[in-house]
Amino acid sequence: MRDKGQKGKHMLQEFKDFIAKGNVMDMAVGIIIGAAFTAIVKSLVDDLINPFIGLFMGGVDFVNMYVVLAGEVAAGTSLADAREAGAAVFAYGSFVMAIINFLIIAFVVFMLVRYVNKVKEATAKKEEEAPVEEDKGPSELDVLLEIRDSLKK
């Protein structure tokens, strides 16, 4: 049985091996890019899509749509102010916006994956169509004939 010190060193080595694998680094890069992408999508929804939704709904701020479940809130109070006042609110507008955000992100990711797959397929086709160059070195027979000829001398 190993002592705790050796067991800890073994676990540390396994962890180093795990971190050193390319997949972990790829995943970390993906998470960082995903966080940046989320900020872009949030801006797209908040700054470009929400105004159109509000326009079609008669200028209503969609994010601030909520129902007060408990507490006193004056009419026209924003969701943030209602929450700050301690009221229990059912914020269905925020939920709907979260669904819209998800659908937009899912659609953009779908389009990106679709594009990457098309590029991969085109690359694979080009590789299949490209003629395989034969080895330009001497054949086995040529080498054997050359050895035979040099032995005759």
Side-chain angles (χ1 to χ4, degrees):
M1 183 172 167
R2 286 191 247 178
D3 66 355
K4 289 183 181 181
Q6 286 180 338
K7 193 173 187 178
K9 287 180 184 178
H10 180 68
M11 185 181 294
L12 184 61
Q13 184 59 42
E14 284 183 37
F15 181 70
K16 285 179 183 178
D17 293 343
F18 173 74
I19 292 296
K21 289 183 181 176
N23 293 341
V24 174
M25 296 307 287
D26 293 344
M27 183 178 68
V29 169
I31 289 170
I32 292 168
I33 290 175
F37 184 70
T38 300
I40 291 170
V41 171
K42 181 173 176 19
S43 176
L44 173 72
V45 172
D46 292 346
D47 301 331
L48 302 177
I49 295 176
N50 280 353
F52 283 112
I53 292 173
L55 181 66
F56 288 119
M57 295 184 67
V60 177
D61 184 8
F62 197 65
V63 175
N64 283 315
M65 292 183 151
Y66 63 92
V67 174
V68 178
L69 300 175
E72 294 294 322
V73 176
T77 304
S78 71
L79 177 61
D81 291 340
R83 286 182 173 160
E84 193 174 302
V89 293
F90 181 73
Y92 64 90
S94 293
F95 179 71
V96 170
M97 288 313 302
I99 292 172
I100 290 171
N101 284 343
F102 170 76
L103 292 174
I104 291 169
I105 290 170
F107 179 73
V108 171
V109 168
F110 166 74
M111 295 303 288
L112 287 172
V113 169
R114 186 173 175 228
Y115 176 74
V116 168
N117 286 340
K118 282 186 179 184
V119 169
K120 282 183 181 179
E121 287 174 9
T123 304
K125 269 187 181 178
K126 285 181 183 177
E127 288 176 0
E128 287 176 6
E129 292 173 0
V132 178
E133 292 186 27
E134 293 187 26
D135 187 19
K136 298 193 184 223
S139 70
E140 187 177 336
L141 180 61
D142 293 336
V143 171
L144 289 172
L145 291 173
E146 189 177 319
I147 291 171
R148 182 195 68 188
D149 293 341
S150 63
L151 287 174
K152 281 185 181 178
K153 292 180 183 178

